[in-house]
Amino acid sequence: MIKNILEGTRVYLSGPMDFVGSRVIEKFLGWRAILTPILKALDITVLDPWNKPSIKGHENYGKEGVIHSKSEYEKDFWTNPETRARFETDFWETVHIDLRMTDIADFLIAFVPTNIYSVGTVHEIVMGRNQWKPTLVISPPIKYDFFPEIACLPEETKKVLKYYGLKENPKGIPSQWYGNIVGGNYFFDGFGWEGLEFKTDDFYRKLIVEVVNNAKPEASNDDEMEVWNRVSEWVEKNDGLNNLTGGILDHIKYETGEQALLKQEMERTNENSRKYFWYNTPYKPKRSLLYQIFSIASGYIPPRLQIITKQDKNGNVTYESYESIDDSWLLISHDDDE
């Protein structure tokens, strides 16, 4: 059996932290908190901007708290150059360490919902790709139906909302700029847990089964079924995944005062009633990030589909596709000693 080729690698988790609904919920029940125990079960070192590593000689360097406010700059931000300069300087440590984590990572996982503004995420993705790091991008669907207060509005009002930047993206199609930066084969419309109630005590046991079962191809597709059988068997026999139990909060480590803040946030009406990860709306991803991770860890690196253009004898442009080896992951694989 192939060993875990991702064992000993390092991954950086890139995505919005600033313009989210609640920084407390984002840190402890956000996608990074959910994903980290799975990655650690696969012996992958997780570099998480919410939990920055200690820097020798620089206590608390670049660390971001869950309570974050820009109000101190609001009084004279646009009229005082000193305030704007301090605005820049105060955040330099955070930028520095996040880019340093990006630099030392073997690959990146980036969450890029099209309804949440994020600049640092783009910076980190571009930096990672400039170093030829594989970058897996999750772009979930965005629908007005996710928000009851918006869904009940008249259609004319919904049309107006688009001009204020609140646009639907029902299929979760990312920016085509990302297509040229990371490659279309690294796009996913979900992590794999979107259809599960994610606050249960047995979440991880259910999740692993859900991810594998949802990826099962049609029986008539012999090639894909062969791959799925191999990946499924590998997951079933992997000790790390077999030993992963409990719920999300069972794997959280709190700093002073954070647990009380989380309890307070979880008692709010919206969060208390939330059962599903993505705006409390279950859906089944068409391309699951976690199944891709399991596939790669098991030794199956999906090929990259390439498109080339040709010109026919009449001068018309035609397109032709072919599969090629995705050699990005060869940089971090290792030989099986057995």
Side-chain angles (χ1 to χ4, degrees), residues 76-110:
D76 57 356
F77 184 86
W78 297 113
T79 58
N80 188 342
E82 184 175 334
T83 299
R84 294 194 299 274
R86 186 164 53 84
F87 178 82
E88 169 195 345
T89 303
D90 288 349
F91 202 64
W92 161 244
E93 290 184 1
T94 299
V95 173
H96 187 192
I97 192 170
D98 286 358
L99 292 180
R100 183 67 182 120
M101 287 191 288
T102 302
D103 183 47
I104 66 174
D106 294 296
F107 66 103
L108 277 65
I109 296 174

Side-chain angles (χ1 to χ4, degrees), residues 10 12 47 96 98-108 123-135 181-182 186 327-329 331-332:
R10 294 182 286 197
Y12 178 69
L47 300 171
H96 187 192
D98 286 358
L99 292 180
R100 183 67 182 120
M101 287 191 288
T102 302
D103 183 47
I104 66 174
D106 294 296
F107 66 103
L108 277 65
H123 192 171
E124 291 156 359
I125 289 173
V126 170
M127 178 177 172
R129 290 302 297 146
N130 282 341
Q131 298 174 351
W132 300 104
K133 300 178 192 292
T135 301
I181 295 171
V182 306
Y186 288 154
D327 57 2
S328 299
W329 297 96
L331 299 172
I332 57 177

Side-chain angles (χ1 to χ4, degrees), residues 46-62:
V46 177
L47 300 171
D48 178 358
W50 281 117
N51 300 287
K52 302 184 195 299
S54 299
I55 306 300
K56 293 181 179 180
H58 297 273
E59 186 177 359
N60 295 323
Y61 187 90

Side-chain angles (χ1 to χ4, degrees), residues 227-262:
V227 171
W228 182 85
N229 283 330
R230 190 162 68 240
V231 174
S232 177
E233 181 183 4
W234 185 90
V235 169
E236 186 178 342
K237 294 181 178 179
N238 182 269
D239 291 338
L241 294 176
N242 283 329
N243 293 330
L244 179 59
T245 59
I248 300 164
L249 297 183
D250 294 324
H251 299 269
I252 297 294
K253 294 181 179 179
Y254 302 96
E255 295 184 8
T256 303
E258 288 185 334
Q259 193 165 7
L261 286 173
L262 177 60

Side-chain angles (χ1 to χ4, degrees), residues 19-282:
F19 290 88
V20 294
S22 166
R23 288 172 66 87
V24 176
I25 294 298
E26 185 66 25
K27 179 174 181 178
F28 299 112
L29 283 172
W31 68 274
R32 293 178 179 90
I34 303 172
L35 184 60
T36 292
I38 304 170
L39 298 173
K40 287 184 175 180
L42 294 171
D43 293 316
I44 299 171
T45 297
V46 177
L47 300 171
D48 178 358
W50 281 117
N51 300 287
K52 302 184 195 299
S54 299
I55 306 300
K56 293 181 179 180
H58 297 273
E59 186 177 359
N60 295 323
Y61 187 90
K63 290 191 175 181
E64 298 177 77
V66 292
I67 304 299
H68 178 65
S69 174
K70 297 178 181 176
S71 59
E72 60 183 294
Y73 309 109
E74 291 176 354
K75 181 180 179 180
D76 57 356
F77 184 86
W78 297 113
T79 58
N80 188 342
E82 184 175 334
T83 299
R84 294 194 299 274
R86 186 164 53 84
F87 178 82
E88 169 195 345
T89 303
D90 288 349
F91 202 64
W92 161 244
E93 290 184 1
T94 299
V95 173
H96 187 192
I97 192 170
D98 286 358
L99 292 180
R100 183 67 182 120
M101 287 191 288
T102 302
D103 183 47
I104 66 174
D106 294 296
F107 66 103
L108 277 65
I109 296 174
F111 187 47
V112 295
T114 55
N115 65 326
I116 303 178
Y117 176 72
S118 181
V119 176
T121 304
V122 178
H123 192 171
E124 291 156 359
I125 289 173
V126 170
M127 178 177 172
R129 290 302 297 146
N130 282 341
Q131 298 174 351
W132 300 104
K133 300 178 192 292
T135 301
L136 310 176
V137 171
I138 302 92
S139 180
I142 306 297
K143 301 179 182 180
Y144 290 154
D145 289 345
F146 291 168
F147 312 95
E149 296 83 358
I150 297 177
C152 66
L153 294 174
E155 290 302 316
E156 287 301 316
T157 304
K158 292 178 183 178
K159 290 179 182 179
V160 173
L161 290 177
K162 295 179 182 180
Y163 294 96
Y164 286 87
L166 187 57
K167 299 180 69 174
E168 285 190 292
N169 186 2
K171 301 296 183 181
I173 307 298
S175 166
Q176 284 186 280
W177 279 93
Y178 279 133
N180 287 273
I181 295 171
V182 306
N185 61 316
Y186 288 154
F187 287 149
F188 306 89
D189 64 331
F191 293 93
W193 58 65
E194 289 78 6
L196 288 176
E197 294 188 14
F198 78 121
K199 295 179 182 177
T200 60
D201 294 336
D202 57 351
F203 171 72
Y204 285 108
R205 297 310 317 147
K206 290 180 178 178
L207 173 60
I208 294 170
V209 174
E210 174 95 348
V211 167
V212 174
N213 287 345
N214 284 348
K216 188 173 183 177
E218 296 291 335
S220 58
N221 193 324
D222 293 338
D223 291 341
E224 289 189 10
M225 182 60 75
E226 181 181 350
V227 171
W228 182 85
N229 283 330
R230 190 162 68 240
V231 174
S232 177
E233 181 183 4
W234 185 90
V235 169
E236 186 178 342
K237 294 181 178 179
N238 182 269
D239 291 338
L241 294 176
N242 283 329
N243 293 330
L244 179 59
T245 59
I248 300 164
L249 297 183
D250 294 324
H251 299 269
I252 297 294
K253 294 181 179 179
Y254 302 96
E255 295 184 8
T256 303
E258 288 185 334
Q259 193 165 7
L261 286 173
L262 177 60
K263 181 180 179 182
Q264 181 179 335
E265 285 290 304
M266 291 184 69
E267 289 174 351
R268 296 182 186 276
T269 303
N270 286 348
E271 187 59 36
N272 187 47
S273 62
R274 187 165 71 113
K275 295 182 178 180
Y276 299 97
F277 168 74
W278 194 234
Y279 296 112
N280 204 21
T281 303

Side-chain angles (χ1 to χ4, degrees), residues 279-299:
Y279 296 112
N280 204 21
T281 303
Y283 74 91
K284 178 182 175 181
K286 291 180 172 57
R287 294 200 77 219
S288 158
L289 169 85
L290 280 174
Y291 182 72
Q292 184 90 342
I293 293 290
F294 292 162
S295 297
I296 294 169
S298 72

